[in-house]
Amino acid sequence: MMPNISRGDRMGGLMVYLAGAGRSNEHEEQHLVAGDSAIVTMHGYGVLGRDSALAIAKDLDEPRVRLGVDVTRQERIADPETGEVTSTTVPADVWHCSLSLRAEEGQLSDEKWGAIAQQFVDRMGFATEGGSRATCRWVAVRHGLSTNGNDHIHVAVSLVREDGTKANTHNDYQRAQNICRDLEREHGLEQLESRERGIGERGVKPAERARATRAGAEVGVHRLERTVLAAATASLDEAEFVRRLRRGGVLIRPRFAAGRDDVVAGYSVALRPEPDKQVVWYGGGRLARDLTLPRLREGWPDSVHAAQGAVDEWKATAKNPWQYRPVTPGREESAPDPQLWKQYTAEMKQLRAQMREVPIDDRASWAHLARDTAGAFAAWSQRVEATPGPLAQTARELSRTAQIRAHQSKPRPAGHVSVAGATMMLLQAADQGKGSMVEALMLRQLAATVRAVMEMHEAVGDAQRAAQLDRILREQYTTVRDRLPAIPKTGAASQGTAMPGPAEGIDPELARVVEVAQRGQIIPGTGNPIPNPIEQQRPRTTATPIERDGHER
């Protein structure tokens, strides 16, 4: 954990910045996680706006203003022309420190950050309530990841205590470093000196991972990530997303915008706790950068009707997350028509065709494709894997491509096919659909999409991500493929009963396989295995990632 200290004299300016959008619009769900008890009681943990930020700043600054105390420090200034250094006295009643994890360490919960912030300011000598000295007023603000992907909080302290005395900041840089080393050990964080580089897992601390390993269980935050990803991808709008999370067995609650009860700015989810255990809430941004509510909304329609439906469902969850019942149940309540397999599998193929027109450097569009495909795998895993298996692992690996910065993101390209239908089928299909030929064909379409994403990484020079996706295709795809029926050749049934003609615009092979599977007929000559896309050798080039030699992959 890395502290970064600065001093100033504009508490209002600092708080407005912390509650604002950030220099690169990276701030999301700005809110308090700890602070002076009276201030936290007054302003709560909701999303901060400019007005609430200024009100908090006024409360923080009240002892200094009321008692007329000035806090200054000596600052050395160099003349830009002569280079001569002079010392001057400047106001410095505001003490600001950011506490940041490295991106590889993932993210902590609000509760954990709140405990760390309280212990930090106590040990710095600012806010030990009940001690021999009066306390300083302070708050800790969290507003998502930095532009470099670091989870962090900001601690703002007024250096004038309640009784008008000034807080001691002597040697504060070194003291902050020492305190952070102690807090790392006490909270099970990775030590600064021994941190290793690698791809981090959001929300997972070493101690949490170790407990899950000992118990032979899935890390809770991974299960939540998979459930949220599947629900978001399968949903046609925000209201359906809320209802699907309930069906996924998790608790969900909204974070309303400052001063509103009809505008939802974010959300939190939690697993239902065991008896006598405390519920642990995770914000969407802690699960994954692309699972914040603003990012999810980029894939749903923006209309007055859809917005009102979403607000109705959110309000219902806010009343009692444990007893939430849908206000307006939707398609998630019934099993889908098996005939839809044909349509949605064809749409997967159509989506890959559309991606031929997307520039390689359009990170936002490729992130949408990666997240949607990861969501399909997550939904399939949620339905058929009692414990996380190759489908879950593929979803987690692929979803990392979707982890772009907030300022890089943009809505889904207009006219692009949605995979919500295919994901819904994988999530809700009846039990008899498990292991069917239509699922085998869907797997082939999904694997080809993963390969397209892999080739995008190759084309932009991201060899590490390309290699990781190549490995997941070789290992996990084969495992899943071998569990499903083999797809017959197009002419395999030529000696049997003539097949009805395919619907207009539907791939003939797709229509034939789906119709035969739906009728339950046995096709002679079904020994032809699903071709593994990564075994199809072709020249490496930086051309369009899906079409290399004039043939669709």
Side-chain angles (χ1 to χ4, degrees):
M1 186 164 56
M2 295 167 282
N4 184 23
I5 298 172
S6 61
R7 296 276 297 274
D9 65 329
R10 297 180 60 248
M11 185 67 79
L14 172 61
M15 289 304 304
V16 167
Y17 167 75
L18 297 180
R23 295 186 178 90
S24 301
N25 294 318
E26 74 275 15
H27 294 175
E28 299 175 342
E29 297 185 32
Q30 304 90 319
H31 59 283
L32 299 179
V33 294
D36 177 271
S37 57
I39 293 177
V40 172
T41 300
M42 174 67 69
H43 298 280
Y45 299 97
V47 175
L48 297 175
R50 178 182 176 85
D51 290 343
S52 55
L54 289 172
I56 291 172
K58 184 177 180 180
D59 287 343
L60 291 171
D61 215 19
E62 193 274 336
R64 183 190 68 83
V65 174
R66 172 171 49 86
L67 299 171
V69 179
D70 293 327
V71 180
T72 60
R73 69 185 180 95
Q74 293 299 115
E75 182 171 294
R76 293 165 61 84
I77 300 177
D79 186 290
E81 296 183 3
T82 65
E84 181 180 358
V85 177
T86 58
S87 181
T88 185
T89 300
V90 297
D93 54 272
V94 178
W95 191 88
H96 167 225
C97 179
S98 64
L99 300 177
S100 176
L101 303 180
R102 290 185 52 177
E104 291 83 353
E105 293 185 70
Q107 293 179 272
L108 305 181
S109 66
D110 281 356
E111 293 79 5
K112 179 64 74 174
W113 270 125
I116 289 173
Q118 183 69 62
Q119 292 170 334
F120 180 75
V121 295
D122 285 350
R123 298 178 192 185
M124 287 295 297
F126 296 138
T128 306
E129 296 186 359
S132 59
R133 293 175 297 180
T135 61
C136 296
R137 296 189 182 186
W138 68 282
V139 291
V141 177
R142 189 180 190 188
H143 54 201
L145 303 179
S146 69
T147 54
N148 294 322
N150 307 90
D151 189 22
H152 66 287
I153 60 172
H154 293 263
V155 177
V157 180
S158 172
L159 293 177
V160 178
R161 300 182 184 275
E162 295 285 358
D163 61 0
T165 59
K166 302 176 185 179
N168 178 22
T169 59
H170 176 70
N171 201 28
D172 55 351
Y173 289 83
Q174 187 58 53
R175 286 192 290 131
Q177 291 282 351
N178 295 339
I179 291 169
C180 284
R181 299 295 80 74
D182 293 338
L183 291 173
E184 284 172 348
R185 289 189 292 270
E186 294 168 17
H187 289 275
L189 303 176
E190 293 183 22
Q191 300 295 299
L192 179 65
E193 294 80 6
S194 61
R195 289 173 182 161
E196 298 178 356
R197 293 188 175 271
I199 295 178
E201 295 178 290
R202 289 183 181 272
V204 181
K205 298 173 293 181
E208 185 178 2
R209 189 184 302 114
R211 286 195 299 270
T213 300
R214 288 195 298 270
E218 181 181 19
V219 175
V221 72
H222 288 176
R223 178 184 164 190
L224 287 170
E225 178 189 0
R226 187 156 44 101
T227 303
V228 172
L229 180 60
T233 310
S235 299
L236 294 177
D237 56 36
E238 189 172 330
E240 182 180 340
F241 167 67
V242 179
R243 298 191 299 266
R244 284 195 181 278
L245 283 179
R246 168 186 171 270
R247 291 184 64 84
V250 303
L251 303 175
I252 178 171
R253 67 183 184 186
R255 186 190 299 278
F256 290 105
R260 303 290 296 270
D261 63 358
D262 59 346
V263 177
V264 179
Y267 70 97
S268 298
V269 290
L271 297 175
R272 291 182 177 272
E274 298 177 1
D276 301 323
K277 297 291 186 180
Q278 185 178 7
V279 63
V280 179
W281 292 95
Y282 297 83
R286 184 187 171 195
L287 302 179
R289 184 179 290 144
D290 62 317
L291 295 183
T292 63
L293 194 55
R295 293 285 292 278
L296 293 179
R297 284 171 172 163
E298 293 173 356
W300 295 322
D302 183 12
S303 68
V304 174
H305 176 75
Q308 185 58 55
V311 169
D312 291 343
E313 299 296 347
W314 283 119
K315 285 184 175 180
T317 68
K319 291 178 181 177
N320 188 337
W322 282 263
Q323 300 297 326
Y324 161 60
R325 293 292 182 271
V327 176
T328 308
R331 61 177 190 156
E332 70 283 346
E333 296 291 337
S334 57
D337 185 347
Q339 295 291 330
L340 293 174
W341 277 110
K342 181 191 304 182
Q343 172 186 338
Y344 294 141
T345 309
E347 286 180 355
M348 288 294 301
K349 187 174 182 178
Q350 182 183 352
L351 177 61
R352 289 194 296 111
Q354 289 179 330
M355 292 305 295
R356 295 194 189 105
E357 308 301 323
V358 176
I360 292 296
D361 58 356
D362 185 349
R363 289 296 307 279
S365 295
W366 284 101
H368 279 297
L369 178 67
R371 186 178 70 190
D372 287 351
T373 310
F377 277 109
W380 201 350
S381 168
Q382 191 172 341
R383 183 177 124 245
V384 304
E385 292 182 331
T387 58
L391 293 169
Q393 294 176 38
T394 302
R396 281 189 56 75
E397 190 67 45
L398 185 61
S399 67
R400 297 185 183 187
T401 294
Q403 307 305 304
I404 60 176
R405 312 291 184 213
H407 67 277
Q408 295 176 306
S409 183
K410 62 183 181 181
R412 188 189 310 277
H416 269 215
V417 173
S418 167
V419 303
T423 307
M424 181 269 293
M425 295 296 291
L426 291 169
L427 186 63
Q428 288 183 242
D431 290 343
Q432 60 265 30
K434 296 178 182 179
S436 67
M437 273 191 292
V438 288
E439 287 186 317
L441 193 55
M442 178 70 78
L443 175 65
R444 186 165 69 177
Q445 298 294 340
L446 289 171
T449 306
V450 176
R451 180 170 182 83
V453 175
M454 182 190 78
E455 292 175 341
M456 177 274 293
H457 284 292
E458 289 179 339
V460 299
D462 190 349
Q464 182 179 8
R465 289 294 299 128
Q468 289 165 338
L469 290 176
D470 181 74
R471 177 187 56 78
I472 210 75
L473 276 175
R474 291 183 181 277
E475 296 176 2
Q476 309 304 339
Y477 171 85
T478 303
T479 300
V480 178
R481 180 197 64 184
D482 292 345
R483 297 176 182 174
L484 297 173
I487 293 181
K489 295 180 180 179
T490 304
S494 58
Q495 296 178 358
T497 304
M499 300 298 299
E504 182 179 357
I506 300 296
D507 178 79
E509 177 192 21
L510 167 62
R512 194 183 72 80
V513 171
V514 172
E515 288 169 0
V516 170
Q518 289 168 346
R519 292 205 303 264
Q521 296 180 3
I522 300 175
I523 304 177
T526 58
N528 181 40
I530 304 173
N532 189 329
I534 57 105
E535 294 172 353
Q536 300 172 359
Q537 300 297 322
R538 61 179 184 268
R540 300 288 185 183
T541 175
T542 57
T544 304
I546 299 178
E547 190 172 34
R548 289 283 191 256
D549 51 10
H551 301 286
E552 182 182 339
R553 300 297 182 185

